[in-house]
Amino acid sequence: MAQQENEVVEIVNDGYVVDTEDCEARELAHRERGTARPITVVGNPVLHRECKDVTEFGDELAQLIDDMFASQKAAEGVGLAANQIGVDAKVFVYDCPDDDGVRHTGVVVNPKLVELPAGSRVLDDSNEGCLSVPTAYASLARPDYAEVTGQDAQGNPIKVRGTGYFARCLQHETDHLYGYLYIDRLSKRDRKDALRQMEEGTPRYPTVPNA
C-alpha cells in the first residue's frame, strides 16, 4: 500500500529548513503511520560501521521515517538514527528542544556535519546519553552550535542548524550514521564507566540482544 503523501518541508531563502512550526502535528502524523521497533545497542555491528547512502526516495524511505518517529517516541528519545533500529541507511529523525525551549522536529537524509572554524567553536561539556547505550550518561564536550547539510524525504537539498542541546543532537545523530557512538569520543576510563552504567541499568524500552 502506498504511503500517504509526504509532508512538504518549508525551506527559507538561505537554505535552512523551518523545523519549528507544527511540530506536534507533524510528529504525530509520522508516528501514527509508523510502527515502533526495538533499539539496537552498543556491540551490534550495524552501529559500528558507516551506513549506506540513501539513493531511493520513495515509499520505502517514507515508511522507514514513520517507523523511526514511532520508535523514537516509544523510547522517549529526542533523536534517532536508522542504524539504531537496525537499518543500514543514512537517515536520522529528531524531535528535540534547543536551550531556549524551542522545539525542532524533522528528518535529515545523507547528513554531513559542517566543519566549523576552530576560532568560532564554543564547547559545551554537558552530559550526553544514547538510546543505544541505555541508562548510561557521561560528560562530553561538543560545540554548542552545529550545522548539518543533507536531503529531505523527497531528495531535496536541505540545511539544518541548531544551538545548545539541539546542536548536540545533530552532532550525535550524524555521528551514528558514520559508525560512532558518543562513548567512542570518551576517555577509556569514562567509556568503561558508561558501559558499567549500562550493565547495571535496565532499559525502559525494548532492545535487540546482541548475538
Side-chain angles (χ1 to χ4, degrees):
M1 180 182 296
Q3 298 299 306
Q4 297 182 21
E5 290 185 1
N6 293 320
E7 65 180 279
V8 176
V9 178
E10 184 181 353
I11 302 177
V12 294
N13 290 336
D14 55 3
Y16 293 98
V17 297
V18 178
D19 60 4
T20 56
E21 296 179 357
D22 302 318
C23 291
E24 185 170 356
R26 291 188 292 110
E27 189 274 339
L28 179 60
H30 281 298
R31 185 158 41 94
E32 288 184 334
R33 295 191 300 263
T35 300
R37 307 189 200 180
I39 304 296
T40 57
V41 296
V42 57
N44 189 303
V46 74
L47 293 174
H48 302 282
R49 60 174 182 260
E50 181 175 345
C51 292
K52 296 177 181 176
D53 290 342
V54 174
T55 58
E56 298 291 332
F57 295 83
D59 288 348
E60 186 175 346
L61 176 61
Q63 185 62 64
L64 171 61
I65 291 168
D66 291 342
D67 288 355
M68 289 173 67
F69 272 103
S71 303
Q72 174 179 257
K73 183 68 172 183
E76 300 178 13
V78 297
L80 187 75
N83 53 355
Q84 291 185 273
I85 56 170
V87 179
D88 186 1
K90 283 183 181 163
V91 186
F92 75 77
V93 301
Y94 59 90
D95 187 22
C96 182
D98 59 27
D99 283 359
D100 295 322
V102 177
R103 182 177 179 179
H104 300 259
T105 304
V107 56
V108 185
V109 181
N110 298 325
K112 292 183 179 179
L113 195 64
V114 176
E115 189 72 22
L116 300 177
S120 67
R121 295 178 191 167
V122 177
L123 295 180
D124 171 14
D125 61 355
S126 297
N127 264 10
E128 190 161 329
C130 179
L131 297 179
S132 292
V133 194
T135 73
Y137 296 89
S139 174
L140 176 62
R142 290 192 189 264
D144 69 352
Y145 174 82
E147 291 187 21
V148 171
T149 63
Q151 294 163 282
D152 65 15
Q154 292 77 43
N156 302 308
I158 58 171
K159 294 189 289 185
V160 181
R161 58 186 169 187
T163 59
Y165 187 51
F166 182 42
R168 182 175 295 273
C169 175
L170 293 175
Q171 295 167 83
H172 180 111
E173 301 308 330
T174 302
D175 269 357
H176 266 304
L177 300 177
Y178 289 86
Y180 296 97
L181 289 91
Y182 85 98
I183 59 172
D184 296 328
R185 298 190 177 278
L186 300 175
S187 67
K188 289 184 178 179
R189 183 180 67 179
D190 289 346
R191 187 179 193 277
K192 184 177 180 180
D193 181 64
L195 292 173
R196 177 191 57 78
Q197 292 178 53
M198 175 180 163
E199 289 176 2
E200 294 176 353
T202 301
R204 62 182 183 274
Y205 44 83
T207 60
V208 179
N210 292 329

